[in-house]
Amino acid sequence: MAIVGLILLLSALVLWRVLRDGLHPAVAMPSVWGVTLVLVQIAQPFGFYPVAPASLLLFLSGVLIFSAGACLGSRLATEIGPRAAPLAERLQVNYRALAICALLIHVVMLPLWLSEIQAIAGDTDDILVIAYQLRIKSVYDEVTTGSLVGNYLVLGMIVIPVLAVGVLSKRLHGGWALLVGAPWVVTNLLTNGRSTLVQLVLALIYFRLMLGPRITLKTAMTLAGMFLLIFGGGAVLVGKGGIDESVSVGEVAELIMLNFFDYALQGPILFSAYFENPTLVTPSWDPFRVPCLALERFGLCEPGPLHQDFLFFGTGDRIGNVYSIFFSTYPKYGLLGTALILCFCGAWAAFHHQRFRQDGRLYHAVLAGFLFGAVVLSIFLDSFLPLLNFVIKTWLVCVLLPRIFRSKRETAGPDAGR
């Protein structure tokens, strides 16, 4: 495990030297998987199960194929895109007007959201009970909010990154972004859990690295704290890892860290268990879930459940149900299908990353950020092609925003910002 991890880290170093871009998906993917496999090796004395050699070979080849596709995707973006210009000179939106409009949307939608979650969760005012009931019913009963509230929550996942871009481009005060973003963060955390918000935080970290000044120790600690706050908040709300009202604050912090390492390491281990013995679980993940959901209305496709069976990934009570991106592709599409899908995902992520660097359009910016998050999260789930519904909504919103909220700099002429 450590040897394969070090090979991937060496590959990432070589690609970084060639591309001169540490955030490029071709560099990020082997970096994430290399670190994860090394940590699995280090965690062996603590009761974590190992990853079998056959699975290690699949991980190594799949990640390198992803990186090869990413190199092709960035090359394509360079060939068809405009010449690069400083990102701070682009992304023309009136961010303050957007923030004010978002606050008005909150005024209308928050009461509607509250009434819907109370109807789903039952007769209780305890926020922890409401959060737990929402997660249980969404997992086992597939009960969700209505389409209007659901789209309101999705809109937040698009608008928050846009406002973050405005803050980092020095066109919006950070207080405005916090005021607008906080209600969306809380409502998404209570309604949908932490997985989407973790990907959002990773996207915000991506924007900070792309648009902000050089990272200092204080900034790095702030970003890490923001990530752990969202991750830990989700763990507390649903009682993950044995967290309940009886444990102390210090014990909660320790349990959150253990829960983090469990999630970070269980994906490769659980997929390896399935790869060695396919009868252990019945796979239902599919990268083409969004088209299947559309065809379901006509009786042409039946999507499987999102939540898989649980397996032990270590001794004691270490049990989980996340199996990495390979579980989304290999069981149904085999080795060739896995290679083609991973190559496409790498090209897709790198295309938006490179176009963001070149022309700075909001659509490329938001998608590049979320696909960067998908790279990091690939160790325990597939957040690439299952994002297709979000991709369509992101394109629509990002096309409309510059037209509805026209930048004062843009409307006042080329010298307005000087």
Side-chain angles (χ1 to χ4, degrees), residues 139-162:
V139 171
Y140 296 105
D141 301 330
E142 297 186 355
V143 177
T144 59
T145 57
S147 59
L148 184 60
V149 171
N151 282 302
Y152 160 73
L153 298 174
V154 172
L155 180 65
M157 296 299 98
I158 303 172
V159 172
I160 289 175
V162 172

Side-chain angles (χ1 to χ4, degrees), residues 54-79:
S55 299
L56 289 172
L57 181 60
L58 177 61
F59 295 155
L60 176 63
S61 56
V63 171
L64 293 180
I65 288 171
F66 180 96
S67 294
C71 292
L72 293 174
S74 60
R75 179 66 180 269
L76 176 64
T78 302
E79 292 292 332

